Amino acid sequence: MDAAVLKKVALFEGLTQGQLAKVAQIAQPRSYPTGAFLFREGEAGQDMFVIAEGKVRISKSVPGIGEEALAILEAGQYFGEMAVIEDSARSADAIAHVACTVWVIERSRLDQLMFTDKDLAYVLLWTFVRTLSERLRETNEKIKGFFAISRF
């Protein structure tokens, strides 16, 4: 992976060129056709993804309704980061909205990198916290909207 591409990803914008190069070394490319699942809700997660090209839909299956898209992510965005932070099942599905190529970063390799570069770890962990906070806020707004709709 090219470190210059990583610099454009919000998660990595606070890193130095040397740190970006280290992250680029541990990322592996994968391609998916339209409609393919990158992962499913409930599966164990061990890696996160950075979209190089294409689009990925993050969704949940709602009983009696079907698929509810939570987000459609594009090149330069990342997802699945909860799997590199905690040991729990995937909280949603990730589906190739259109054919896509992603860079996969495995938790074990990222853990090792953060253990050896504490400055890199500090920047990444604070960015993870901000991202998760923003996503929780968005989810709360969606839930509020669902409750408002369900009253009718």
Side-chain angles (χ1 to χ4, degrees):
M1 175 175 218
D2 183 4
V5 172
L6 280 180
K7 184 71 174 171
K8 297 176 185 174
V9 176
L11 176 61
F12 305 113
E13 48 187 38
L15 300 180
T16 66
Q17 273 308 118
Q19 291 169 331
L20 289 168
K22 290 177 185 178
V23 173
Q25 288 178 336
I26 66 170
Q28 299 296 317
R30 263 189 227 158
S31 295
Y32 295 89
T34 301
F37 280 82
L38 283 73
F39 56 77
R40 294 179 188 266
E41 182 177 358
E43 290 178 347
Q46 294 295 315
D47 35 45
M48 64 170 287
F49 301 80
V50 176
I51 303 172
E53 57 185 48
K55 295 181 181 181
V56 174
R57 185 172 67 250
I58 307 299
S59 64
K60 291 187 76 72
S61 183
V62 179
I65 296 174
E67 180 187 350
E68 175 63 31
L70 303 175
I72 297 178
L73 306 176
E74 299 182 357
Q77 293 184 291
Y78 62 96
F79 61 97
E81 71 281 354
M82 289 169 59
V84 299
I85 296 171
E86 64 175 350
D87 263 332
S88 62
R90 297 284 190 185
S91 64
D93 294 330
I95 305 163
H97 193 63
V98 298
C100 64
T101 299
V102 296
W103 290 95
V104 181
I105 300 174
E106 295 175 14
R107 177 173 53 201
S108 61
R109 297 186 80 190
L110 185 61
D111 281 350
Q112 184 178 21
L113 179 57
M114 290 194 303
F115 183 76
T116 59
D117 189 334
K118 300 299 184 196
D119 292 332
L120 178 145
Y122 180 82
V123 171
L124 288 184
L125 292 174
W126 269 112
T127 306
F128 281 145
V129 167
R130 283 192 297 276
T131 299
L132 294 173
S133 178
E134 289 171 15
R135 290 182 182 169
L136 178 59
R137 189 176 317 281
E138 290 170 8
T139 301
N140 286 343
E141 288 302 313
K142 285 183 180 183
I143 290 171
K144 183 177 164 183
F146 287 141
F147 282 128
I149 290 170
S150 70
R151 292 185 142 164
F152 295 106

Coordinates of all heavy atoms in Angstrom, one line a residue, residues 127-140:
T127 N -7.9 8.8 17.6 CA -8.8 8.9 16.4 C -9.9 7.9 16.4 O -11.0 8.2 16.1 CB -7.9 8.8 15.1 OG1 -6.9 9.7 15.1 CG2 -8.8 9.0 13.9
F128 N -9.6 6.7 16.9 CA -10.6 5.6 17.1 C -11.7 6.1 18.0 O -12.9 6.0 17.7 CB -10.0 4.3 17.6 CG -9.3 3.5 16.7 CD1 -8.2 2.8 17.1 CD2 -9.7 3.3 15.4 CE1 -7.5 1.9 16.2 CE2 -9.1 2.5 14.5 CZ -8.0 1.8 14.9
V129 N -11.3 6.7 19.1 CA -12.3 7.2 20.1 C -13.2 8.3 19.5 O -14.4 8.2 19.6 CB -11.5 7.8 21.3 CG1 -12.5 8.6 22.2 CG2 -10.9 6.7 22.1
R130 N -12.6 9.2 18.7 CA -13.4 10.3 18.1 C -14.4 9.6 17.0 O -15.5 10.0 17.0 CB -12.5 11.3 17.4 CG -11.9 12.3 18.4 CD -11.3 13.5 17.8 NE -10.2 13.1 16.9 CZ -8.9 13.0 17.4 NH1 -8.7 13.1 18.6 NH2 -8.0 12.7 16.5
T131 N -13.9 8.7 16.3 CA -14.7 8.0 15.3 C -15.9 7.3 15.9 O -17.0 7.4 15.5 CB -13.9 7.0 14.4 OG1 -12.8 7.8 13.8 CG2 -14.7 6.3 13.4
L132 N -15.6 6.5 16.9 CA -16.6 5.8 17.6 C -17.7 6.7 18.2 O -18.9 6.4 18.2 CB -16.0 4.8 18.6 CG -15.2 3.7 18.0 CD1 -14.5 2.9 19.1 CD2 -16.0 2.8 17.1
S133 N -17.2 7.8 18.8 CA -18.1 8.8 19.4 C -19.0 9.4 18.3 O -20.2 9.5 18.5 CB -17.3 9.9 20.1 OG -18.1 10.8 20.6
E134 N -18.5 9.8 17.2 CA -19.3 10.3 16.1 C -20.3 9.3 15.6 O -21.5 9.6 15.4 CB -18.4 10.7 14.9 CG -17.5 11.9 15.1 CD -16.5 12.1 14.0 OE1 -16.6 11.5 12.9 OE2 -15.6 12.9 14.2
R135 N -19.9 8.1 15.4 CA -20.8 7.0 14.9 C -21.9 6.7 16.0 O -23.0 6.5 15.6 CB -20.0 5.8 14.6 CG -19.2 6.0 13.3 CD -18.4 4.8 12.8 NE -17.6 5.2 11.7 CZ -16.7 4.4 11.2 NH1 -16.5 3.2 11.7 NH2 -16.0 4.8 10.1
L136 N -21.6 6.8 17.2 CA -22.6 6.6 18.3 C -23.6 7.7 18.2 O -24.8 7.5 18.3 CB -21.9 6.5 19.6 CG -22.9 6.3 20.8 CD1 -23.7 5.1 20.7 CD2 -22.1 6.3 22.1
R137 N -23.1 8.9 18.1 CA -24.0 10.1 18.0 C -25.0 9.9 16.8 O -26.2 10.2 16.9 CB -23.2 11.4 17.8 CG -24.0 12.6 17.9 CD -23.1 13.9 17.9 NE -21.9 13.8 18.7 CZ -21.9 14.0 20.1 NH1 -23.0 14.2 20.7 NH2 -20.8 13.9 20.7
E138 N -24.4 9.5 15.6 CA -25.3 9.3 14.4 C -26.3 8.2 14.7 O -27.5 8.3 14.3 CB -24.4 8.9 13.2 CG -23.5 10.0 12.7 CD -22.5 9.6 11.7 OE1 -22.6 8.4 11.2 OE2 -21.6 10.4 11.3
T139 N -25.9 7.1 15.3 CA -26.8 6.0 15.6 C -27.9 6.5 16.5 O -29.1 6.2 16.3 CB -26.0 4.8 16.2 OG1 -25.0 4.4 15.3 CG2 -27.0 3.7 16.5
N140 N -27.6 7.3 17.5 CA -28.6 7.8 18.4 C -29.6 8.7 17.7 O -30.8 8.6 18.0 CB -27.9 8.7 19.6 CG -27.2 7.8 20.6 OD1 -27.4 6.6 20.7 ND2 -26.3 8.4 21.3

